[in-house]
Structure formats: C-alpha cells, structure tokens
Amino acid sequence: METDEAALLLELLNSRPVSGGVERDRFADEGELRAWARAHDGSGTAREAERLRTVREGLAQVIRGERGARALAPALEGAARVPELGDTGVSWRLTAPPDAALAARIVLAWARIEEELPGRLRPCGNEECRLFLLDRSRAGRARWCSMAACGNRLKARRHYERARAPRGAVPRQAAPARGERDRRGPER
C-alpha cells in the first residue's frame, strides 16, 4: 500500500475529531478545505470541496458498515486508470475531471486498502471518538486511533469502575469496544 495515499485517506476521514464531546470539523471552513485540496494536487474549487465532503461522509458510512460500497460510485464517475509503459515497467495514471480527481484518488486508496489489508481500516473502538485507524499490526487487533488518547482513557474508566465496586461484589463486565468480539466466553 502506498503510504502517501493511505495517509491522504486517513487525513480526510479524520478531519472531524471530537474534543470534549464536541465535534470539530476541520473542513467546515470552505477556504481551509480548498487549501487542503490544492496542497494535495487538487483543483481547490468549490465544486471539488463539496465532492470531498460527500466522499468523506460516504467513506465513513461504508467503513462503519452503514452503507454498501456502491454509495461511493459517484466519486468515480468520469475516472479511469490508464497504463503507461516506462523504462522500469508499467505504471497507472488516474484520469478524471479536475474537480473529481482528488476524490477519486481517495476512493481508490480506500479500495486498495480493502484489497490489500481487508478489515484493517476501521473506526476507533472508543464510541465517543469519530476517528479511524489503519491497523498495520501483525495480529490485526488494534482498536484505538491512539492508545494515549482513546485506549488509556477507556482502560482507566474500566479500572475505575472495577475499583469502585464493593469488596466481594462481582464486577460488572464492561461491554466490548465497538467492532470487538466478546472474548469473555459464555456466562457461568
């Protein structure tokens, strides 16, 4: 997986973090989104900005399993990959209308991740977090966008709940994090 394309995808997906219980949309400001698009070889037009917002929401819904991949089809309209033969071999060049090329690149990056690392692009396991992570670990069991931000916070909350339980009481089992199977086994 080309890390630049994966980073671009994550940067767009993670542009709506929650801080203190309030979502902060990095691209709520039209100018900021258009500047971001230009910095990533986009056209920076208002039309492209709207397409990027639509792709961001569509990808988030597809990754969370709320919609099927066909929801992303409009982002690929007019896009094609054209082979180019060079001295070192074949490379593929994306062709698309200027206002659609960046959104198409991002959707193709998602498709490539799904092909090469199926199930590894997922939402953070913290229900209060809106960020996504790309799990590159060998075991494929990463759950948090950041251990420092989300993992430790949830682990500390679970520890606090166990510590508050009266002595001799059976501690309440914490529900598995979003996307995690329940590994506790059957009730006894």
Side-chain angles (χ1 to χ4, degrees):
M1 174 80 238
E2 297 170 23
T3 57
D4 289 348
E5 297 300 302
L8 178 67
L9 169 64
L10 284 171
E11 194 173 337
L12 181 68
L13 282 170
N14 291 338
S15 61
R16 293 170 54 186
V18 173
S19 179
V22 177
E23 180 183 277
R24 182 191 163 297
D25 186 350
R26 176 179 168 199
F27 297 140
D29 176 71
E30 182 82 12
E32 190 167 342
L33 176 54
R34 291 170 74 173
W36 181 85
R38 283 189 299 276
H40 293 286
D41 300 323
S43 65
T45 64
R47 189 172 183 186
E48 180 182 56
E50 184 57 37
R51 189 177 285 254
L52 288 168
R53 282 190 188 97
T54 301
V55 164
R56 175 181 66 180
E57 187 59 31
L59 280 167
Q61 291 172 343
V62 169
I63 294 166
R64 287 188 193 107
E66 298 165 359
R67 296 180 74 187
R70 289 193 178 145
L72 302 172
L76 297 175
E77 288 177 9
R81 293 188 114 185
V82 178
E84 292 182 340
L85 189 57
D87 292 336
T88 59
V90 176
S91 63
W92 294 87
R93 181 176 49 87
L94 175 65
T95 62
D99 292 339
L102 183 56
R105 264 179 60 206
I106 291 169
V107 170
L108 291 173
W110 165 80
R112 189 165 179 184
I113 288 170
E114 284 302 302
E115 183 179 311
E116 294 179 9
L117 301 167
R120 299 290 186 104
L121 178 62
R122 55 182 164 259
C124 177
N126 180 354
E127 290 287 339
E128 299 166 5
C129 182
R130 292 197 50 122
L131 301 183
F132 293 84
L133 67 124
L134 178 56
D135 182 2
R136 291 187 173 105
S137 70
R138 177 174 281 178
R141 297 176 69 189
R143 298 185 311 189
W144 321 111
C145 63
S146 161
M147 187 55 152
C150 288
N152 282 344
R153 190 174 301 142
L154 286 175
K155 287 180 177 189
R157 186 178 304 152
R158 288 179 183 165
H159 174 75
Y160 178 75
E161 287 174 1
R162 283 191 308 268
R164 281 189 43 194
R167 280 201 178 263
V170 176
R172 182 177 67 86
Q173 292 285 338
R178 176 173 52 194
E180 177 185 273
R181 290 188 328 221
D182 188 346
R183 294 185 181 89
R184 295 181 300 228
E187 298 270 336
R188 293 188 182 163

